[in-house]
Amino acid sequence: KGRVALVTGASVGIGAAVARALVQQGMRVVGCARSVEKIEKLAAECQSAGYSGTLIPYKCDLSNEEEILSMFSAIKTQHKGVDVCINNAGLAHNEPLLSGKTEGWRNMIDVNVLALSICTREAYKSMKERNVDDGHIININSMGGHRMVPSADEHFYCATKYAVTALTEGIRQELREANTHIRATCISPGIVETEFAFRHHNSDPEKAASVYESIKCLKAEDIASAITYVLSAPPHVQIGDVQMRPVEQVS
Ligand code: NJP
């Protein structure tokens, strides 16, 4: 309650559900994405619902480091700093390893890997300068960050999520070496019903719809519940990775 959380990719899907849940719990949440108007609408909904926290919309293209740094600087000026950083923004382009376009690969690296790393570094800096010892870094990973999805559509995406697995472990080690009690967790979902597959298969909306129709998928709110659980764990408890997938998901 009263803590400041940054949620990246808060305009839709998992990020929007997480931002809503944290505002309901009384946190001050800076929600960022390119489609800031969607976050403004969500902020108005949270206010009308009478939630005790606040959602502050911030327009940021996370593939641009300058924009990320300006956002952290604005958070410092307006809200003193970040106590919780939820690196949620992510995307998958349908670009196989043997035929994909470099541009699509670069965009996945920029958002899924680099933006997560830059936000983590800046959030840590913010926590350290304010002596925040109970901060938390939460990375939204994927089951695809633990085993390769057997589909060329997603191999590069899985590689970026394997990076998230390694980065979360590395962050945790560096935090211990820095002698802080700041925690690092990743949440690794299976299929979650959001816009994700529609963006991934943007030239084939029927294929995207079939992803969500084939089984009873996780909901964005399920991931938000996992995050509120992780944030409510006692300070001595380090939750490394929460793997969660639909009961009916086979791979
Ligand atoms: O995806 P989606 P999810 N700058 O497409 C933002 C992981 N995951 O909620 O800029 C700033 O509905 C985008 O905002 P906008 C997945 O890898 C998912 O399902 O307005 N923001 C939007 O808010 C990802 O890490 C599934 O377009 C940028 C958000 O990212 C996380 O869950 C399974 C941006 C994407 O919303 C959230 O995904 C799994 C940029 N350059 C892991 N680019 C799943 N859904 O099945 C994108 O294992 N965003």
Side-chain angles (χ1 to χ4, degrees):
K1 204 174 169 76
R3 298 165 92 199
V4 177
L6 170 66
V7 179
T8 69
S11 56
V12 290
I14 295 170
V18 171
R20 181 194 290 272
L22 299 186
V23 171
Q24 190 165 12
Q25 295 207 332
M27 290 181 86
R28 239 181 316 155
V29 177
V30 178
C32 76
R34 292 163 302 178
S35 328
V36 73
E37 64 293 341
K38 291 183 186 163
I39 311 177
E40 284 162 358
K41 191 162 169 267
L42 180 61
E45 280 167 25
C46 291
Q47 202 174 13
S48 323
Y51 294 165
S52 52
T54 337
L55 176 58
I56 301 117
Y58 194 95
K59 186 176 170 67
C60 181
D61 180 350
L62 292 157
S63 62
N64 181 326
E65 179 168 15
E66 292 304 312
E67 292 195 24
I68 300 178
L69 297 181
S70 302
M71 173 173 71
F72 273 91
S73 163
I75 294 173
K76 184 175 178 174
T77 312
Q78 290 159 29
H79 311 288
K80 296 198 169 65
V82 170
D83 302 305
V84 173
C85 177
I86 301 183
N87 290 305
N88 161 75
L91 69 145
H93 289 298
N94 187 347
E95 305 285 5
L97 298 178
L98 301 186
S99 58
K101 290 190 213 65
T102 310
E103 193 190 349
W105 296 341
R106 188 173 285 125
N107 191 213
M108 283 186 265
I109 296 227
D110 280 347
V111 179
N112 300 3
V113 179
L114 268 182
L116 176 148
S117 305
I118 297 166
C119 287
T120 299
R121 182 190 67 206
E122 297 305 311
Y124 173 64
K125 204 188 286 175
S126 166
M127 292 172 199
K128 197 172 164 220
E129 67 195 15
R130 292 174 302 125
N131 293 319
V132 171
D133 202 37
D134 61 350
H136 213 130
I137 309 287
I138 299 181
N139 296 330
I140 307 301
N141 194 348
S142 170
M143 284 309 299
H146 301 281
R147 47 115 188 94
M148 290 298 282
V149 175
S151 155
D153 293 0
E154 294 190 38
H155 287 158
F156 198 95
Y157 170 73
C158 286
T160 65
K161 291 300 188 178
Y162 270 71
V164 174
T165 301
L167 288 166
T168 310
E169 192 51 42
I171 291 162
R172 189 161 36 245
Q173 285 180 21
E174 289 189 30
L175 286 169
R176 273 319 299 142
E177 281 160 20
N179 213 18
T180 84
H181 290 88
I182 299 168
R183 290 175 284 179
T185 301
C186 70
I187 311 280
S188 301
I191 304 172
V192 190
E193 196 173 347
T194 63
E195 289 180 17
F196 187 79
F198 289 94
R199 294 178 186 218
H200 179 47
H201 299 290
N202 60 358
S203 55
D204 192 349
E206 272 181 34
K207 189 169 179 185
S210 73
V211 171
Y212 298 137
E213 282 159 8
S214 57
I215 56 167
K216 190 167 168 46
C217 299
L218 298 177
K219 304 283 177 216
E221 289 71 24
D222 298 324
I223 314 304
S225 301
I227 288 180
T228 52
Y229 161 68
V230 163
L231 287 174
S232 67
H236 66 285
V237 177
Q238 174 83 268
I239 300 172
D241 187 5
V242 180
Q243 298 190 4
M244 47 196 300
R245 51 184 148 179
V247 171
E248 296 171 21
Q249 186 175 343
V250 178
S251 63

